[in-house]
């Protein structure tokens, strides 16, 4: 088992959130793909660029989360971990759903012509007197309170609880034999992952695809992430895995242009099957490639990455609302598309940085946005009981 800290995971967390921010900025300016706010003009070329990130970006986060969960279990494998993990995820989710996400809903409804109120009156309607305004926006944790980009936290809590309940079986003698066998055979890992993703894409539909894909990679990281041999094999094979991943992403561009977009191949069963196969490869290989590259080149501790890591969680919670508010506010000036995109990008990262500075001065707010603290107060029974009680409503909503 790997006992030392995996510094490549720290790098990967920061890289993954950076890519996610860029992807969500791009979503404002691409046509067709649904988002909570869309610019009036859009770029088809940008869609091709986002296609290189879209299939695997969340898979990387799921795999990292699975490895982190296993290391938590190795350090404290009891029921207390389930409670601790629940409060770590559900309190930020609760704050996010009630406070961070509503501006996205206001902008989405305003652009759709379904919100005639100003923002202040919108908040009153949202929290106090909904009337008929939200009749078309009822899906979510509670009526008209949805998770938006925080779906990852919702599903991560649900699947983490499932894995922690199954952990005694997964880490049993037989479970260890299976994971050791897999950890020593990279080809078997790749083949199993590809077949699993292909079956998920073929047999499931809608959000089931996204959720099951995430659960698979969370389970994969949980089973293999603490085996030293797993990281060794990835590090040794970084070049071929990277070349295979790049090939899959290049082929995906051809699938997008000649099968999914236009032409008679859209109705050709064999062409669609080939396209689905390549898409499954593009959802699988880049995840392994990015992790393998990190194993090869990012195993050294970095003081900058060490300082950034505690703030990845709050930036994840805040970033999409920041992006949508900025894009909505700048749209009225009718700037050239590329200029506005650059402005939104620069301002998003700047505001995220300022938010981190502010949070660093306000320790009481930090656990509400997912920052783990070492202050004695946050380990007191009073704090844990208070947070647990406040999370019960959202916990019951997620279970039901």
């Amino acid at each position: 088992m790997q006992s030392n800290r995996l510094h490549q995971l720290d790098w990967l967390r920061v890289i993954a959130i950076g890519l996610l921010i860029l992807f969500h900025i791009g979503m404002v300016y691409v046509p067709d793909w649904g988002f909570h706010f869309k610019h009036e003009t859009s770029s088809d070329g940008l869609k091709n660029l986002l296609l290189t990130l879209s299939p695997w970006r969340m898979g990387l986060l799921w795999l990292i989360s699975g490895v982190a969960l296993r290391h938590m279990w190795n350090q404290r494998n009891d029921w207390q971990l389930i409670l601790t993990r629940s409060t770590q995820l559900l309190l930020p989710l609760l704050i996010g759903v009630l406070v961070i996400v509503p501006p996205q809903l206001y902008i989405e409804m305003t652009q759709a012509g379904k919100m005639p109120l100003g923002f202040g009156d919108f908040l009153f309607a949202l929290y106090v007197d909904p009337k008929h305004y939200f009749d078309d926006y009822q899906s979510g944790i509670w009526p008209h309170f949805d998770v938006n980009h925080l779906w990852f936290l919702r599903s991560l809590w649900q699947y983490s609880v499932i894995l922690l309940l199954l952990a005694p079986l997964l880490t049993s003698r037989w479970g260890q034999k299976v994971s050791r066998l897999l950890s020593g055979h990279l080809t078997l890992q790749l083949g199993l992952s590809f077949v699993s993703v292909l079956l998920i894409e073929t047999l499931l539909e809608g959000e089931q695809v996204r959720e099951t894909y995430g659960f698979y990679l969370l389970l994969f990281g949980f089973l293999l992430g603490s085996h030293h041999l797993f990281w060794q094999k990835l590090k040794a094979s970084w070049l071929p895995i990277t070349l295979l991943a790049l090939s899959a992403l290049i082929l995906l561009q051809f699938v997008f242009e000649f099968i999914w977009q236009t032409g008679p191949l859209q109705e050709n069963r064999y062409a669609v099957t080939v396209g689905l196969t390549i898409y499954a490869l593009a959802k699988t290989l880049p995840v392994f490639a990015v992790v393998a590259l990190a194993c090869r080149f990012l195993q050294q501790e970095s003081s900058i990455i060490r300082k950034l890591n505690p703030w990845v969680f709050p930036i994840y919670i805040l970033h999409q609302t920041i992006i949508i508010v900025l894009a909505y506010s700048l749209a009225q000036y009718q700037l050239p598309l590329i200029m506005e995109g650059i402005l939104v990008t620069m301002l998003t990262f700047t505001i995220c940085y300022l938010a981190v500075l502010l949070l660093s001065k306000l320790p009481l707010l930090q656990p509400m946005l997912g920052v783990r603290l070492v202050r004695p107060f946050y380990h007191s029974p009073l704090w844990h009981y208070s947070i647990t009680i406040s999370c019960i409503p959202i916990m019951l909503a997620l279970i039901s």
Side-chain angles (χ1 to χ4, degrees):
M1 290 292 182
Q2 177 82 322
S3 57
N4 297 327
R5 185 171 182 85
L6 299 169
H7 294 297
Q8 63 265 34
L9 287 187
D10 296 331
W11 282 89
L12 286 172
R13 287 188 192 95
V14 175
I15 291 170
I17 194 63
L19 291 176
L20 192 63
I21 290 173
L22 294 174
F23 181 84
H24 284 153
I25 292 172
M27 284 294 291
V28 174
Y29 302 102
V30 296
D32 305 325
W33 297 354
F35 201 52
H36 303 285
F37 175 72
K38 304 295 287 187
H39 198 273
E40 290 182 359
T41 57
S42 55
S43 168
D44 283 307
L46 185 58
K47 189 188 291 186
N48 291 82
L49 182 61
L50 293 190
L51 193 63
T52 63
L53 293 177
S54 179
W56 59 271
R57 59 191 170 83
M58 293 306 299
L60 180 62
L61 281 174
W62 281 112
L63 183 63
I64 294 170
S65 300
V67 176
L69 186 64
R70 178 55 181 270
H71 281 271
M72 292 178 197
W73 171 262
N74 289 344
Q75 295 169 10
R76 185 173 58 184
N77 52 352
D78 54 23
W79 280 90
Q80 184 64 32
L81 178 56
I82 296 180
L83 179 61
T84 302
R85 189 64 170 160
S86 295
T87 55
Q88 286 173 349
L89 293 175
L90 292 183
L91 178 61
L93 179 59
L94 180 65
I95 299 299
V97 167
L98 295 179
V99 180
I100 308 300
V101 169
Q104 298 183 37
L105 177 61
Y106 171 74
I107 290 172
E108 181 179 356
M109 294 179 69
T110 300
Q111 187 176 45
K114 296 183 178 180
M115 178 46 61
L117 305 176
F119 185 63
D121 292 331
F122 160 82
L123 290 178
F124 181 80
L126 182 73
Y127 295 121
V128 180
D129 187 17
K131 294 184 178 178
H132 62 279
Y133 294 115
F134 304 101
D135 291 347
D136 297 330
Y137 295 86
Q138 291 298 304
S139 62
I141 290 182
W142 298 294
H144 61 266
F145 282 97
D146 209 348
V147 291
N148 287 24
H149 67 294
L150 301 182
W151 68 267
F152 176 71
L153 295 187
R154 174 200 65 198
S155 300
L156 180 58
W157 176 75
Q158 292 170 328
Y159 296 150
S160 294
V161 170
I162 292 173
L163 282 189
L164 290 173
L165 291 174
L166 293 176
L169 175 63
L170 297 174
T171 59
S172 65
R173 185 162 58 94
W174 290 103
Q176 292 282 24
K177 283 185 177 180
V178 172
S179 60
R180 276 196 296 268
L181 173 65
L182 284 173
S183 66
H185 296 84
L186 185 57
T187 303
L188 181 59
Q189 296 170 33
L190 292 171
L192 180 62
S193 297
F194 163 68
V195 171
S196 299
V197 172
L198 184 59
L199 288 173
I200 290 169
E201 290 290 333
T202 303
L203 301 178
L204 302 178
E205 295 180 353
E207 290 190 359
Q208 289 180 328
V209 174
R210 180 182 72 182
E211 301 287 340
T212 310
Y213 171 71
F215 180 72
Y216 171 78
L217 285 172
L218 186 75
L219 174 63
F220 187 94
F222 185 86
L223 286 175
L224 301 185
S226 61
H227 286 277
H228 184 57
L229 189 57
F230 168 71
W231 303 102
Q232 281 186 320
K233 291 289 185 180
L234 281 174
K235 182 179 179 180
S237 305
W238 71 270
L239 183 57
I241 296 175
T242 301
L243 292 175
L244 286 172
L246 289 173
S247 300
L249 292 174
I250 291 170
L251 288 173
L252 186 61
Q253 295 290 335
F254 286 96
V255 169
F256 179 70
E257 291 293 336
F258 300 110
I259 298 178
W260 294 349
Q261 286 283 85
T262 56
L265 291 179
Q266 282 183 323
E267 305 299 327
N268 186 294
R269 184 177 62 181
Y270 299 105
V272 170
T273 302
V274 169
L276 190 61
T277 302
I278 292 172
Y279 185 64
L281 288 170
K283 290 189 74 168
T284 305
L285 291 172
V287 175
F288 283 86
V290 172
V291 176
L293 286 167
C295 289
R296 174 63 180 83
F297 297 104
L298 300 176
Q299 280 195 314
Q300 299 302 315
E301 184 179 10
S302 164
S303 59
I304 296 176
I305 295 298
R306 186 176 66 250
K307 291 176 182 178
L308 287 175
N309 240 273
W311 306 105
V312 165
F313 207 159
I315 288 174
Y316 166 74
I317 293 170
L318 295 169
H319 82 279
Q320 185 164 292
T321 296
I322 293 171
I323 291 168
I324 290 174
V325 170
L326 284 172
Y328 175 73
S329 302
L330 288 173
Q332 61 182 309
Y333 298 105
Q334 298 183 335
L335 300 172
L337 188 66
I338 188 168
M339 182 183 295
E340 182 180 315
I342 292 172
L343 268 177
V344 170
T345 302
M346 293 174 60
L347 288 172
T348 298
F349 281 97
T350 301
I351 294 173
C352 285
Y353 173 71
L354 294 175
V356 166
L357 288 182
L358 181 62
L359 279 172
S360 67
K361 307 297 183 182
L362 300 171
L364 187 62
L365 295 182
Q366 291 174 13
M368 299 181 187
L369 292 176
V371 181
R372 296 181 187 176
L373 298 177
V374 295
R375 293 171 181 261
F377 172 74
Y378 295 107
H379 296 282
S380 68
L382 175 62
W383 173 259
H384 283 294
Y385 288 139
S386 301
I387 297 305
T388 301
I389 292 171
S390 66
C391 290
I392 287 175
I394 197 167
M395 188 183 300
L396 294 175
L398 294 180
I399 291 173
S400 60

